[in-house]
Amino acid sequence: MSIHAVKRAQCHLAWDNSIPPVLRVESGETVSFECLDASNGQVTPDTVASLLATLDIATLDQVNGPVYVSSALPGDTLQIDVVDIETAEWGWTGIIPGFGLLADEFPDPALKIWTLNRTSGEGSDGGYGHAWFDEKKGIKIPLKPFAGEMGVAPAEKGAFSTIPPYRTGGNIDTKHLSKGSTLYLPVGVEGALFSVGDGHAAQGDGEVCGTAIETSMRVTVRLTVLKDKPYVQTPHFSTSPSKDESGGYYCTTGIGPEIREATRDAVRHMISLLTAEHSLDRVEAYMLCSVAGDLRMHEVVDMPNYVIGLMLPKSIFGHALP
């Protein structure tokens, strides 16, 4: 099956269902996206920290697409299999005035340029490579690249900023969406209109200062329309087994402006999945969430919404989760 391509220049700066698709594909086909970093090319290896105070904020967090997926209709689910990710040879992390969890305590711009020592295949780095935070002090960061932005167009009319996360995806900044993972998004409009961007070479859960190791990347995904998962009302994802996540996890999310309610929604969505896929009643599902589920703060800095996930290890089941 041929791999379709979306070029670096085929990007947009809002989630808007009136934006015409740059590509049309059939369900199950693969698309490769060439994505600039979240600064839209404003940051280079020669950039100095003071430039971060003058970034054109209106052009940040662009996404590439949108891609129209045939047969996708409102109420369906779009399955996004992350087939491959390749980063640039460098990346950056910055403190941008006004951004981040402690923006009031860190008002001055700061910038770190990273050399990404990439590897291919399994190795001592876990298969992706590493970047030195401080080689003299022995602080080394393992690379685990992923796209921070993956989403579909909302059903509502109008332009919505790419900076926050939404129930249809967007800037979910979830580090577990690396190669081999699968994301599930609720389809709001005909064709889904999928877009991707915001390459990260590594990030901790939460992205507390507002940036990860930001990098340009080529990300290849397979887009498949599912008609039998009406319980997917916010982003769900499934991870593959790895050194850090033996057996992998299935995760449901809650997304909203209030942390406690987003957390409650993450649990509610897992209960809905367990009753639909595992024939548990709601009481059984609720108890299973408590004894086996891990709550994570995946994204806490892109206001007004938070992303809270409930991650359930797939190894507890005698049959496969998605």
Side-chain angles (χ1 to χ4, degrees), residues 118-200:
R118 304 172 300 174
T119 60
S120 58
E122 287 299 324
S124 60
D125 300 296
Y128 297 102
H130 69 274
W132 285 105
F133 182 81
D134 190 316
E135 191 167 2
K136 291 182 178 179
K137 296 178 180 178
I139 305 174
K140 183 169 68 172
I141 306 301
L143 302 183
K144 192 174 182 181
F146 70 97
E149 294 256 11
M150 287 197 279
V152 294
E156 298 80 9
K157 292 183 178 180
F160 297 85
S161 170
T162 56
I163 290 179
Y166 304 96
R167 60 174 296 273
T168 49
N171 199 17
I172 52 180
D173 277 341
T174 300
K175 71 175 187 177
H176 307 281
L177 296 174
S178 54
K179 180 179 177 180
S181 67
T182 300
L183 175 66
Y184 302 90
L185 296 175
V187 174
V189 297
E190 180 181 335
L193 299 178
F194 174 79
S195 299
V196 62
D198 188 21
H200 294 166

Side-chain angles (χ1 to χ4, degrees), residues 281-304:
D281 64 36
R282 284 179 52 80
V283 171
E284 292 173 323
Y286 187 32
M287 288 192 292
L288 186 60
C289 289
S290 189
V291 301
D294 294 322
L295 283 165
R296 303 279 182 90
M297 300 178 72
H298 295 306
E299 173 53 67
V300 299
V301 295
D302 291 320
M303 296 297 96

Side-chain angles (χ1 to χ4, degrees), residues 185-222:
L185 296 175
V187 174
V189 297
E190 180 181 335
L193 299 178
F194 174 79
S195 299
V196 62
D198 188 21
H200 294 166
Q203 181 201 293
D205 272 327
E207 196 189 32
V208 295
C209 85
T211 58
I213 300 182
E214 309 289 335
T215 184
S216 298
M217 67 168 36
R218 177 188 295 115
V219 54
T220 302
V221 299
R222 183 168 53 251

Side-chain angles (χ1 to χ4, degrees), residues 46-289:
D46 300 320
T47 295
V48 295
S50 59
L51 178 134
L52 296 185
T54 62
L55 286 177
D56 183 357
I57 303 298
T59 65
L60 300 184
D61 278 347
Q62 75 291 345
V63 289
N64 291 72
V67 173
Y68 182 104
V69 186
S70 295
S71 79
L73 296 172
D76 293 343
T77 299
L78 186 65
Q79 174 179 315
I80 302 102
D81 296 302
V82 182
V83 177
D84 196 22
I85 298 177
E86 182 181 350
T87 70
E89 295 181 344
W90 69 280
W92 63 276
T93 300
I95 296 176
I96 302 173
F99 282 81
L101 199 61
L102 300 178
D104 56 329
E105 298 180 24
F106 292 86
D108 299 322
L111 179 64
K112 179 174 182 61
I113 301 296
W114 304 77
T115 297
L116 305 183
N117 301 295
R118 304 172 300 174
T119 60
S120 58
E122 287 299 324
S124 60
D125 300 296
Y128 297 102
H130 69 274
W132 285 105
F133 182 81
D134 190 316
E135 191 167 2
K136 291 182 178 179
K137 296 178 180 178
I139 305 174
K140 183 169 68 172
I141 306 301
L143 302 183
K144 192 174 182 181
F146 70 97
E149 294 256 11
M150 287 197 279
V152 294
E156 298 80 9
K157 292 183 178 180
F160 297 85
S161 170
T162 56
I163 290 179
Y166 304 96
R167 60 174 296 273
T168 49
N171 199 17
I172 52 180
D173 277 341
T174 300
K175 71 175 187 177
H176 307 281
L177 296 174
S178 54
K179 180 179 177 180
S181 67
T182 300
L183 175 66
Y184 302 90
L185 296 175
V187 174
V189 297
E190 180 181 335
L193 299 178
F194 174 79
S195 299
V196 62
D198 188 21
H200 294 166
Q203 181 201 293
D205 272 327
E207 196 189 32
V208 295
C209 85
T211 58
I213 300 182
E214 309 289 335
T215 184
S216 298
M217 67 168 36
R218 177 188 295 115
V219 54
T220 302
V221 299
R222 183 168 53 251
L223 303 174
T224 305
V225 178
L226 304 177
K227 302 287 186 178
D228 60 348
K229 297 190 182 298
Y231 53 79
V232 177
Q233 297 296 313
T234 57
H236 291 200
F237 64 85
S238 178
T239 70
S240 58
S242 70
K243 181 176 67 174
D244 299 324
E245 299 175 351
S246 177
Y249 289 85
Y250 191 94
C251 180
T252 56
T253 66
I255 297 179
E258 203 278 314
I259 289 179
R260 186 170 188 272
E261 196 57 33
T263 305
R264 283 160 55 89
D265 280 345
V267 178
R268 291 183 182 114
H269 295 319
M270 183 62 78
I271 290 171
S272 295
L273 176 135
L274 291 170
T275 58
E277 297 283 353
H278 295 278
S279 301
L280 301 181
D281 64 36
R282 284 179 52 80
V283 171
E284 292 173 323
Y286 187 32
M287 288 192 292
L288 186 60
C289 289

